[in-house]
Amino acid sequence: MRKTLLAAVLATFAGAAFAAPVTYDLDPTHTNVLAQWSHFGFSHPFANFGDVEGTLVYDADNVAASSVEVTLPLSGLEAFSSKFNDHLRSADFFDAAKYPAAKFKSTRVEAAGEGKLKVTGDLTIKDITRPVVLDVTFNKAADHPMLKAPAIGFDATATILRSEFGVGAYAPNVGDEVTLRITTEAHAKAK
């Protein structure tokens, strides 16, 4: 009985700790933004947009007050082949010399069922901005066991047409449709 009561008290305290809006910094070490497409139907390669920078505000009591803003420096783009990395950064695709980063900024966050969110926002690639909807799964909010500070984690997916962002080289043979898979861990900003 005492263990059950203690567990209930701890659960209440943990819930209260994350009830108000909390601002988090994305952890680039534990955040992956993967893009995957069809290559002539033979394979489905993917690239990771590493070195992610961003801020996430999460309000468990009012998810509509939540937001996210992310920068994806193209210097961190990794397709697991140095030759292909260079090609993706070239003018054929991202033109990273001229447009060094992609960006996402949410415009609306809404509940979409138990542990689910819809995050609508503006994705900007090569100075072209289009709306994108992320289907988000809430993973966990708790004190990080190593950092001893509040942490939160989400997974998300979306599908975009790369041609809408000026990255449409070789379409339709190389698939225009790109699936985005995101996993992120974020830590509360120090006060």
Side-chain angles (χ1 to χ4, degrees), residues 52-67:
V52 175
E53 303 165 2
T55 302
L56 184 150
V57 177
Y58 185 67
D59 187 336
D61 290 336
N62 178 16
V63 296
S66 302
S67 63

Side-chain angles (χ1 to χ4, degrees), residues 67-153:
S67 63
V68 62
E69 190 165 347
V70 179
T71 299
L72 305 163
L74 295 176
S75 59
L77 180 63
E78 177 58 59
F80 312 104
S81 161
S82 60
K83 184 177 176 181
F84 192 36
N85 291 343
D86 291 343
H87 192 201
L88 287 175
R89 290 186 190 108
S90 77
D92 280 352
F93 291 102
F94 288 99
D95 199 1
K98 187 173 181 182
Y99 307 100
K103 296 182 182 207
F104 178 83
K105 184 175 182 176
S106 64
T107 55
R108 182 175 59 217
V109 178
E110 53 196 326
E114 185 67 30
K116 304 285 185 186
L117 301 168
K118 289 264 190 219
V119 177
T120 302
D122 292 328
L123 177 62
T124 302
I125 299 172
K126 294 175 79 171
D127 284 346
I128 300 168
T129 302
R130 300 274 187 264
V132 171
V133 178
L134 301 173
D135 293 312
V136 179
T137 300
F138 176 81
N139 294 333
K140 181 177 182 177
D143 276 342
H144 192 283
M146 294 175 71
L147 300 175
K148 308 296 185 213
I152 198 163

Side-chain angles (χ1 to χ4, degrees), residues 3 17 21-22 24 28 30 35 38 47 99 103 106 122 124 131 155 167 173 176 179:
K3 285 184 181 179
V22 179
Y24 301 89
H30 298 102
S38 171
Y99 307 100
K103 296 182 182 207
S106 64
D122 292 328
T124 302
D155 286 344
V167 190
N173 294 315
D176 192 17
T179 300

